[in-house]
C-alpha cells in the first residue's frame, strides 16, 4: 500500500516533470531577455547582462546556452528563416527587377526593426552552424536573383554580391546612429543605393523623404555624447 509520504515523493525533491518545466521557463526567460537587449543594443550585450535581465544565475544561463553563438542562434533562428524566405519570395516574383528591389528593401527593413539582427547580418558565427547554413542558403538565392535582375537590363552589369554586404554594413550603421531620433533615415539610404545600382531609366520605388534636420541633429548630439560609439 502506498503511503502519503511515498505518493508525494521525498521532501524537498522536485519531480522530474517539474524540473523540466522550470528549465523550459528559464530558457524562455533567457530568450526573451536576450531578444530585448539585442534589439535595443545590438550583439555587444554580454552574457552576464542577459542573465541579469532574465533574472537567472550565470550557471543557469550557461546550462541552457553554453556559448554566445548558441544563444544568438536560438534568438535569431526565426529571423534568419525570414531572411531566407525573403529571397525565395523575390525569386518567385515574375518581374525579376521588382523582386530584386523588393528584396533589398525587405532585408534592410529587417535590420531597421532589430539592431541585433542588423549585427547578425554583418557578422559571421562559424560555430553556429545552423545560423550559417541559413545564411549560405540565402546567399545562393541572392546570386540567382542578381543574374535574373541583370537579365532585365535594369541592374548594372558591374553590381556584385559584395555590394549587398557593403549596403548592409552601411545600413546597420545608419540604424544604430539615428536610433529613435530618425528611425526612417535608413529608407533614404536604401533609396539612394538602389538608384546607384540601377541602369538609366530603370523603374525604381518612390524615394523616401529626408529626415527632419532637427531629428538628425538630435542623433548627432547623442553620438557626440557617446564619443561616436553606436553600440
Amino acid at each position: 500500500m502506498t503511503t502519503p509520504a511515498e505518493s508525494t515523493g521525498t521532501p524537498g525533491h522536485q519531480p522530474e516533470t517539474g524540473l523540466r518545466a522550470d528549465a523550459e521557463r528559464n530558457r524562455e526567460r533567457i530568450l526573451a531577455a536576450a531578444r530585448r537587449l539585442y534589439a535595443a543594443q545590438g550583439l555587444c550585450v554580454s552574457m552576464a547582462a542577459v542573465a541579469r535581465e532574465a533574472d537567472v544565475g550565470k550557471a543557469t544561463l550557461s546550462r541552457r546556452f553554453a556559448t554566445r553563438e548558441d544563444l544568438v542562434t536560438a534568438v535569431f533562428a526565426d529571423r534568419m528563416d525570414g531572411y531566407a524566405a525573403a529571397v525565395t519570395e523575390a525569386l518567385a516574383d515574375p518581374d525579376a527587377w521588382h523582386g530584386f528591389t523588393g528584396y533589398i528593401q525587405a532585408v534592410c527593413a529587417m535590420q531597421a526593426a532589430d539592431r541585433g539582427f542588423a549585427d547578425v547580418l554583418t557578422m559571421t558565427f562559424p560555430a553556429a552552424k545552423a545560423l550559417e547554413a541559413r545564411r549560405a542558403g540565402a546567399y545562393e538565392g541572392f546570386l540567382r536573383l542578381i543574374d535574373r535582375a541583370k537579365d532585365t537590363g535594369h541592374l548594372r552589369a558591374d553590381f556584385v554580391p559584395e555590394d549587398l554586404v557593403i549596403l548592409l554594413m552601411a545600413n546597420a550603421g545608419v540604424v544604430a546612429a539615428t536610433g529613435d531620433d530618425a528611425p526612417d533615415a535608413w529608407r533614404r539610404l536604401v533609396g539612394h543605393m538602389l538608384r546607384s545600382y540601377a541602369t538609366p531609366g530603370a523603374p525604381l520605388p518612390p524615394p523616401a523623404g529626408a529626415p527632419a534636420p532637427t531629428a538628425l541633429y538630435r542623433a548627432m548630439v547623442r553620438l557626440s555624447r557617446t564619443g561616436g560609439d553606436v553600440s
Side-chain angles (χ1 to χ4, degrees):
M1 180 176 179
T2 302
T3 66
E6 290 172 333
S7 65
T8 57
T10 304
H13 174 71
Q14 189 175 14
E16 185 178 349
T17 54
L19 290 173
R20 286 199 298 267
D22 280 350
E24 184 58 28
R25 280 193 294 270
N26 284 335
R27 184 178 187 277
E28 291 305 316
R29 287 169 63 184
I30 291 166
L31 288 174
R35 287 190 186 101
R36 289 193 299 270
L37 292 176
Y38 288 157
Q41 303 175 34
L43 297 188
C44 62
V45 174
S46 68
M47 294 287 276
V50 172
R52 287 195 299 272
E53 177 75 10
D55 195 23
V56 300
K58 293 180 182 178
T60 298
L61 174 59
S62 64
R63 281 196 298 272
R64 303 280 77 79
F65 303 99
T67 67
R68 175 171 172 262
E69 286 78 10
D70 290 341
L71 180 57
V72 168
T73 297
V75 169
F76 293 107
D78 58 340
R79 287 165 176 75
M80 286 302 288
D81 286 343
Y83 177 55
V87 178
T88 301
E89 182 178 345
L91 287 170
D93 193 324
D95 183 335
W97 173 244
H98 181 267
F100 176 85
T101 59
Y103 173 73
I104 296 294
Q105 291 176 309
V107 172
C108 289
M110 291 178 192
Q111 284 190 301
D114 187 327
R115 278 191 58 186
F117 192 58
D119 289 345
V120 167
L121 288 183
T122 57
M123 298 169 66
T124 59
F125 302 87
K129 301 201 179 296
L131 200 68
E132 291 305 312
R134 291 183 179 92
R135 189 199 306 276
Y139 180 77
E140 290 300 319
F142 183 59
L143 294 181
R144 296 196 300 275
L145 191 60
I146 291 173
D147 289 340
R148 292 179 72 239
K150 285 184 177 179
D151 288 343
T152 68
H154 296 320
L155 179 62
R156 289 172 52 130
D158 59 357
F159 180 90
V160 293
E162 290 75 19
D163 288 325
L164 176 62
V165 179
I166 294 170
L167 171 58
L168 293 178
M169 288 179 172
N171 193 50
V174 169
V175 168
T178 55
D180 293 334
D181 298 311
D184 291 328
W186 67 272
R187 298 182 187 277
R188 184 77 170 177
L189 169 69
V190 173
H192 283 310
M193 294 308 297
L194 284 176
R195 279 189 283 280
S196 74
Y197 302 154
T199 57
L204 288 165
T214 53
L216 283 182
Y217 179 75
R218 287 195 300 270
M220 292 167 65
V221 169
R222 180 169 53 82
L223 283 178
S224 68
R225 290 172 177 168
T226 61
D229 183 7
V230 295
S231 62

